[in-house]
Amino acid sequence: MLSRQYLQREWQVFLLAVGFLTRIPIPADPDFSEEKLNGASRYFPAVGLLVACVAALVFVAAVAIFNNSLIAVLLSMTSSILLTGAFHEDGFADSCDGFGGGWRAEDVLRIMKDSRIGSYGTVALVLVLGLKAAALSAMPSTGLVVSALLWAHIVSRWLATSYLLDLNYVRGEGKSKPLATTMPLSHWLWSGLPVLILFIFTDVPALLPLCLVLLAFRFAFAAYLRRRIGGYTGDALGAAQQVVEIIIYLSFLA
């Protein structure tokens, strides 16, 4: 049986993850430690569940009020962006600027660290937000949109943290530094509990093509990161999260 002290400690670690990935104020931890900070990454999928629930509730309410799926989707996206402070979108834009504008690894990393957004990042951000809105608003039912939001926000964060398993962190500073730079396989598997819950309520055989596409992207992007910069950065994790989110939306639409 889990002790009260253990549960309290894990709750504090979860709150650290919430504070890192969202703009939700969290109470100060009186027993803060570097170990807790490093462990917060295992709760990223759980934070994704929180974000998904907010986005889904806003969508359902907006559909009921306005009876327009596009308006509902845009309001839902706005709520999730406000909740996270565009954290992953920022990493995606920085990655596009870095990989698009830099040839050598050091140039890519230097551009990523620049807080200003360039042409590659601007165009990529417009396209990714447009794709999200188009895919979600084209889905034929409210239930399908809610399901897609849950899958996208949870699975994308779980897959993004998988790069902590086998890639080196290649930058020790910068605004997008992850909480932990490595993660044991056991912690990553345990962090996927929200994903397991999704599988229980989903037609598993129908998801096989999506799982194969996500697996292919995961290893292809890992190989790309190794070749271009020798590992991953926090911005690269944000880029992975955004791409996986798009893949899931398009898969649900298809």
Side-chain angles (χ1 to χ4, degrees), residues 4-238:
R4 180 179 178 181
Q5 183 179 8
Y6 173 82
L7 293 175
Q8 183 180 12
R9 181 186 183 281
E10 288 303 304
W11 174 248
Q12 292 168 344
V13 174
F14 170 71
L15 289 179
L16 284 173
V18 171
F20 186 75
L21 291 184
T22 74
R23 293 296 180 91
I24 298 175
I26 61 171
D29 183 358
D31 302 315
F32 175 81
S33 66
E34 192 71 23
E35 182 184 359
K36 282 184 179 179
L37 190 66
N38 289 333
S41 295
R42 64 179 177 265
Y43 286 106
F44 283 7
V47 177
L49 173 60
L50 173 64
V51 175
C53 287
V54 172
L57 286 173
V58 170
F59 174 79
V60 172
V63 167
I65 295 171
F66 300 107
N67 194 30
N68 183 290
S69 61
L70 179 58
I71 291 176
V73 165
L74 291 175
L75 289 174
S76 174
M77 290 173 57
T78 300
S79 70
S80 65
I81 289 173
L82 289 174
L83 185 62
T84 62
F87 183 73
H88 301 296
E89 288 83 359
D90 178 68
F92 175 76
D94 286 342
S95 294
C96 291
D97 278 333
F99 290 119
W103 290 100
R104 299 176 303 173
E106 53 268 32
D107 294 330
V108 174
L109 296 175
R110 175 179 51 78
I111 294 172
M112 280 187 185
K113 288 173 64 176
D114 192 337
S115 60
R116 296 168 296 181
I117 187 171
S119 56
Y120 288 105
T122 301
V123 172
L125 199 55
V126 170
L127 289 176
V128 78
L129 292 175
L131 275 173
K132 289 182 187 181
L136 288 170
S137 61
M139 291 183 187
S141 68
T142 299
L144 189 61
V145 173
V146 170
S147 181
L149 288 171
L150 288 168
W151 272 90
H153 283 287
I154 296 172
V155 174
S156 63
R157 287 165 175 82
W158 190 47
L159 186 144
T161 58
S162 73
Y163 293 106
L164 277 65
L165 298 173
D166 58 343
L167 292 183
N168 295 320
Y169 182 65
V170 295
R171 189 171 72 204
E173 57 182 329
K175 59 187 174 64
S176 297
K177 186 180 186 297
L179 269 74
T181 55
T182 60
M183 178 185 287
L185 178 60
S186 59
H187 285 191
W188 183 75
L189 292 174
W190 185 82
S191 73
L193 180 60
V195 180
L196 179 62
I197 295 173
L198 290 178
F199 272 104
I200 294 175
F201 296 100
T202 309
D203 182 10
V204 176
L207 289 171
L208 182 58
L210 170 59
C211 293
L212 293 175
V213 172
L214 292 178
L215 197 62
F217 166 76
R218 194 273 171 199
F219 287 103
F221 191 53
Y224 179 79
L225 291 176
R226 285 193 190 95
R227 180 173 62 84
R228 290 297 310 273
I229 57 176
Y232 77 93
T233 67
D235 288 330
L237 298 186

